[in-house]
Amino acid sequence: MILIKNARVMDPESGFDQVTDILLDGKRIRQVGKVDDVSGIEQVIDASGMIAAPGLIDVHVHFRDPGFTYKEDLQTGSAAAAAGGFTTVVCMANTKPVVDSVDIYKEIEDRCEQLPIKVWQAAAVSKGFEGKELTDMDALYEAGVRGFTDDGIPLMDEKLVEEAMKKAKELDVPISLHEEDPAYIKQPGVNQGKVSEQLNYGGASYLAEAVMVKRDCELAVKTGAKVDIQHISSGVAVDYVKEAKEKGANVYAEASPHHFTLTEEAVLKYGTLARMNPPLRTEEDRQRIIKGLQEGTIEIIATDHAPHSKEEKDKPLDQAPSGITGIETSLALGVTELVEKGYLSMMQLLEKMTINPAKLYNMEQGRLQEGKPADVVLFDPEEEWEVKEYKSKATNSPFTGWKLKGKVKYTICDGKIIEL
């Protein structure tokens, strides 16, 4: 048993927020409240000055395993996640081979059982990520898959998307969508606007995202499916999600820390480290994303943790791959950019990183309550630290060298303290 003493215990689902103790008994939380009887307790953590929250949940990561393990693998990805305070993550299906069959899923799932955190593997919507034919979603669900996505590639066939949504609704699982219509992309990774003009780089228009979000929100209204709009980047897309919710659609939206922290100007400063799909956009877009987080249009903060090798990112802007790592800086960016600046309360930030992602995937995690999984993050909201060393194999982050507030001190998963 582990006793956490004197923590500011915050549970976003119940709204519980007070300085008290937590007793972890094996894989479950036995008690939240002052613990007087210390018999049988193996370890005591004095968490004075720390916040105790449910272990963070990231529903959008790339651990690159199998197929691209020179960038990241399940072990290094899990270590990076734990360092960032995450106890549960959902890996995207754009591995090599693509996770589009039960055999491939099972091979990954078997290896995930050995990891220090909970790693859920999503499966592809379409066979081979080709966007032409649905995977056997029933069989994949029977095998344990709890979410479907072709993340990295947009699904252009509207009829196929509608079919997938109907099946997802039947199985009561989310379908997560990467919304970028190639018709509006001259060159990916950089917003089409003043910075792309300055760099003489074609860029990707906000319309690439907007037209597909509009389409899929309408399909969500029609089918009743639980739809997750991934890494939302434009104000117009936020407005479409808000409209769809008002019509009764079961639509969720994710914002990644880079989209609420940076704008297209970052490309001038950080080069390929600020190249991502969808791209960083204008200050107006960034502010609309923050407003979306405030009003609840965007319920989830998810990193889209996308590791690449240094050699790849050192290529010219038009040749480097898109994406940045993010799982080790996510909480601190939320504290620094959203809480410290008065946009969100600490409870609202935690809600978007614990209970809301848990609800998207129907998880029992994300709750700091008696009887729930013993998944806890302890962090010091006041401690400032410099971003410099990574547990990830990759270092492709524009935030290297930044000073951020909010330092993870302990990550506990299934009642076991993970070495950070």
Side-chain angles (χ1 to χ4, degrees), residues 182-315:
Y184 299 96
I185 299 175
K186 287 184 180 172
Q187 285 176 291
V190 178
N191 183 50
Q192 199 174 88
K194 61 180 184 184
V195 170
S196 67
E197 281 171 25
Q198 199 175 322
L199 295 170
N200 196 24
Y201 185 93
S205 168
Y206 77 93
L207 285 168
E209 178 176 75
V211 295
M212 294 197 69
V213 171
K214 178 81 169 159
R215 180 198 77 178
D216 291 338
C217 280
E218 292 297 331
L219 289 174
V221 172
K222 184 178 176 183
T223 60
K226 189 189 271 188
V227 173
D228 174 28
I229 305 295
Q230 297 180 297
H231 43 44
I232 208 160
S233 69
S234 65
V236 177
V238 179
D239 289 338
Y240 286 152
V241 169
K242 190 168 190 272
E243 284 169 24
K245 285 176 184 287
E246 286 162 2
K247 290 179 186 173
N250 193 8
V251 174
Y252 285 64
E254 306 168 5
S256 48
H258 43 271
H259 284 118
F260 65 65
T261 302
L262 301 170
T263 67
E264 60 186 347
E265 301 285 339
V267 179
L268 299 173
K269 185 172 184 181
Y270 300 107
T272 62
L273 293 179
R275 177 190 154 140
M276 59 207 57
N277 301 334
L280 300 167
R281 300 201 191 273
T282 65
E283 177 61 15
E284 193 183 350
D285 290 309
R286 188 181 81 88
Q287 288 297 333
R288 183 65 186 96
I289 287 167
I290 290 171
K291 188 173 174 229
L293 287 161
Q294 289 174 314
E295 71 195 9
T297 299
I298 304 171
E299 302 91 338
I300 292 171
I301 290 170
T303 63
D304 188 14
H305 176 75
H308 294 293
S309 71
K310 188 172 186 307
E311 293 73 24
E312 289 169 318
K313 276 294 195 179
D314 281 347
K315 290 179 178 174

Side-chain angles (χ1 to χ4, degrees), residues 39-243:
S39 56
I41 290 168
E42 288 117 329
Q43 188 164 0
V44 178
I45 298 170
D46 181 4
S48 302
M50 297 181 208
I51 289 173
L56 306 181
I57 299 170
D58 192 343
V59 295
H60 190 160
V61 303
H62 301 268
F63 283 177
R64 310 294 192 201
D65 192 347
F68 305 100
T69 51
Y70 67 93
K71 300 175 193 260
E72 192 82 285
D73 59 42
L74 290 173
Q75 280 74 25
T76 58
S78 296
F86 291 88
T87 53
T88 306
V89 299
V90 180
C91 287
M92 299 296 97
N94 60 340
T95 48
K96 189 176 181 182
V98 167
V99 187
D100 62 359
S101 72
V102 169
D103 286 350
I104 296 163
Y105 169 74
K106 279 291 191 195
E107 188 275 327
I108 297 167
E109 191 64 15
D110 288 348
R111 290 190 290 127
C112 287
E113 284 171 21
Q114 319 304 319
L115 300 171
I117 65 162
K118 297 172 174 114
V119 176
W120 290 32
Q121 177 62 59
V125 175
S126 72
K127 286 185 181 174
F129 263 37
E130 290 175 6
K132 293 173 184 167
E133 190 185 346
L134 288 183
T135 54
D136 189 340
M137 292 169 75
D138 286 309
L140 285 159
Y141 178 83
E142 284 300 314
V145 170
R146 289 297 174 266
F148 294 87
T149 178
D150 273 18
D151 177 57
I153 300 178
L155 285 161
M156 298 311 299
D157 185 335
E158 192 171 334
K159 208 71 208 138
L160 183 95
V161 175
E162 187 177 345
E163 268 181 69
M165 283 190 191
K166 284 177 179 169
K167 180 51 76 176
K169 164 80 171 157
E170 188 187 308
L171 298 172
D172 188 26
V173 295
I175 180 165
S176 300
L177 299 167
H178 182 121
E179 307 288 44
E180 282 195 296
D181 186 334
Y184 299 96
I185 299 175
K186 287 184 180 172
Q187 285 176 291
V190 178
N191 183 50
Q192 199 174 88
K194 61 180 184 184
V195 170
S196 67
E197 281 171 25
Q198 199 175 322
L199 295 170
N200 196 24
Y201 185 93
S205 168
Y206 77 93
L207 285 168
E209 178 176 75
V211 295
M212 294 197 69
V213 171
K214 178 81 169 159
R215 180 198 77 178
D216 291 338
C217 280
E218 292 297 331
L219 289 174
V221 172
K222 184 178 176 183
T223 60
K226 189 189 271 188
V227 173
D228 174 28
I229 305 295
Q230 297 180 297
H231 43 44
I232 208 160
S233 69
S234 65
V236 177
V238 179
D239 289 338
Y240 286 152
V241 169
K242 190 168 190 272
E243 284 169 24

